[in-house]
C-alpha cells in the first residue's frame, strides 16, 4: 500500500482502539465509586470535599493548600494515593512528590499508587504503561518512582533521608502530598527539624503552580499539622 493508504489504515486502527477504551465518569465522586468501589464505604462529606478539591486543580494555576485532618480509619492514605491517580489520569499535573515520615513508607505509598493505576488500566492505558526510552527500556517504574507513558510521574520522598535535589529532567514537582509526617513521640527539636526540611528543601523545589495536599490525624499538640491547623505555622498560610 502507498504511504497515504498506510496513514489512513493507521488512523482507522487508532480510532478503533480509542472507541474500545471505556469512558470513565467525569464527576469526581462518580469516578471514585466506579473505579474504586472499595472506597465507597464509608464515604462522607469530608471525602467529597477532598475529591472535589483534587478535581479543581488546573494546569498553570496554583490552588490553595488543602489539609485533610481526619481521624484514624478515615481512608487517609488511600484517598491521597487515589488523588495521584486522578491528577495523573486528567493530565493536570506532571510530577507528583509523595512525602511521608520515612522513605520506606513513602516507597510503599508509591507502590500502592502503581497498583491503583494498574487497577484502572482499561480506562487509562497510557497512564498504566511504563515510560520507555527510545531504545525500549523502562525509564522508571521502581520502588520509589513511577514514570507513566502519558507523562505523569510520581517520586517517593522520606523525611528521614538527607535532603537532595528534587527534579525530574526539566520538571519541578507540581503536586505534593504530605501524608502522615507527624509522630506522637516527636520532641520540639524534631518538629523544628521537620519544618526546616519542608520549608527549606521541599516547598522551594515546587513549581510555580504547585498543588499541596496534607493528610494526617492530629496526634501531638505541637506537631507540624497542629501548628498549620491552629495558625502557628508561618508557612503554607494559604
Amino acid at each position: 500500500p502507498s504511504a497515504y493508504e498506510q496513514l489512513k489504515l493507521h488512523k482507522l486502527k487508532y480510532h478503533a482502539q480509542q472507541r474500545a477504551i471505556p469512558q470513565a465518569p467525569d464527576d469526581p465522586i462518580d469516578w471514585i465509586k466506579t473505579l474504586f468501589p472499595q472506597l465507597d464505604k464509608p464515604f462522607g462529606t469530608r471525602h467529597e470535599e477532598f475529591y472535589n478539591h483534587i478535581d479543581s486543580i488546573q494546569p498553570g494555576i496554583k490552588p490553595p493548600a488543602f489539609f485533610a485532618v481526619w481521624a484514624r480509619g478515615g481512608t487517609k492514605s488511600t484517598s491521597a494515593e487515589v488523588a495521584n491517580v486522578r491528577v495523573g489520569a486528567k493530565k493536570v499535573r506532571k510530577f507528583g512528590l509523595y512525602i511521608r515520615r520515612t522513605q520506606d513508607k513513602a516507597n510503599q505509598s508509591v507502590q500502592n499508587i502503581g497498583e491503583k493505576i494498574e487497577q484502572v488500566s482499561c480506562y487509562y492505558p497510557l497512564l498504566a504503561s511504563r515510560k520507555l526510552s527510545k531504545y525500549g527500556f523502562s525509564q522508571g517504574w521502581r520502588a520509589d518512582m513511577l514514570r507513566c507513558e502519558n507523562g505523569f510521574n510520581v517520586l517517593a520522598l522520606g523525611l528521614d533521608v538527607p535532603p537532595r535535589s528534587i527534579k525530574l529532567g526539566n520538571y519541578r514537582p507540581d503536586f505534593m502530598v504530605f501524608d502522615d509526617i507527624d509522630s506522637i513521640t516527636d520532641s520540639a527539636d524534631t518538629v523544628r527539624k521537620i519544618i526546616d526540611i519542608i520549608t527549606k528543601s521541599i516547598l522551594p523545589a515546587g513549581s510555580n503552580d504547585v498543588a499541596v495536599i496534607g493528610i494526617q490525624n492530629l496526634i501531638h499538640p505541637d506537631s507540624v499539622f497542629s501548628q498549620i491547623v491552629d495558625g502557628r505555622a508561618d508557612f503554607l498560610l494559604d
Side-chain angles (χ1 to χ4, degrees):
S2 66
Y4 172 77
E5 290 171 330
Q6 288 180 346
L7 179 60
K8 189 175 181 179
L9 287 171
H10 176 75
K11 287 183 176 179
L12 288 172
K13 183 178 179 181
Y14 172 78
H15 289 304
Q17 290 173 336
Q18 291 299 108
R19 286 194 297 271
I21 298 174
Q23 296 299 304
D26 288 330
D27 179 80
I29 309 306
D30 291 340
W31 184 87
I32 290 290
K33 293 181 178 181
T34 300
L35 275 62
F36 298 97
Q38 69 271 26
L39 292 181
D40 193 9
K41 296 178 182 179
F43 199 92
T45 301
R46 65 182 184 276
H47 299 97
E48 292 185 7
E49 292 174 348
F50 176 75
Y51 288 114
N52 282 327
H53 175 82
I54 296 299
D55 215 53
S56 72
I57 295 173
Q58 300 297 323
I61 300 174
K62 182 176 182 178
F66 187 99
F67 282 79
V69 181
W70 300 347
R72 290 191 180 277
T75 64
K76 294 189 299 297
S77 292
T78 301
S79 296
E81 291 160 6
V82 169
N84 278 265
V85 181
R86 181 68 172 171
V87 299
K90 291 183 64 183
K91 296 189 284 190
V92 294
R93 287 294 183 266
K94 294 183 180 295
F95 182 13
L97 198 62
Y98 206 101
I99 305 110
R100 296 201 65 175
R101 182 59 177 252
T102 67
Q103 187 66 48
D104 285 344
K105 288 185 176 180
N107 290 352
Q108 183 60 57
S109 286
V110 166
Q111 292 171 47
N112 291 342
I113 293 168
E115 292 174 0
K116 290 176 173 63
I117 287 174
E118 291 172 351
Q119 183 178 330
V120 299
S121 60
C122 64
Y123 293 96
Y124 306 106
L126 292 182
L127 177 66
S129 298
R130 302 180 183 193
K131 183 175 177 61
L132 303 177
S133 70
K134 65 179 181 179
Y135 301 109
F137 298 110
S138 174
Q139 291 192 321
W141 196 278
R142 55 180 194 257
D144 66 338
M145 180 188 290
L146 305 176
R147 302 202 67 181
C148 307
E149 186 61 32
N150 79 335
F152 183 61
N153 309 274
V154 187
L155 178 67
L157 181 65
L159 295 177
D160 62 335
V161 299
R164 63 183 189 271
S165 175
I166 305 170
K167 206 172 178 184
L168 193 61
N170 295 323
Y171 297 144
R172 298 171 72 89
D174 53 10
F175 185 61
M176 295 184 181
V177 175
F178 291 89
D179 177 5
D180 235 4
I181 62 172
D182 291 323
S183 170
I184 195 171
T185 59
D186 285 345
S187 65
D189 186 53
T190 299
V191 172
R192 281 193 297 270
K193 287 179 180 177
I194 293 174
I195 290 176
D196 279 347
I197 294 172
I198 291 172
T199 57
K200 296 177 181 178
S201 298
I202 299 177
L203 292 178
S207 64
N208 291 333
D209 62 345
V210 62
V212 177
I213 304 296
I215 198 155
Q216 169 93 49
N217 59 322
L218 299 184
I219 57 175
H220 186 305
D222 295 312
S223 69
V224 176
F225 265 66
S226 292
Q227 293 188 40
I228 290 171
V229 168
D230 65 21
R232 281 179 289 163
D234 61 357
F235 59 98
L236 292 175
L237 299 179
D238 61 347

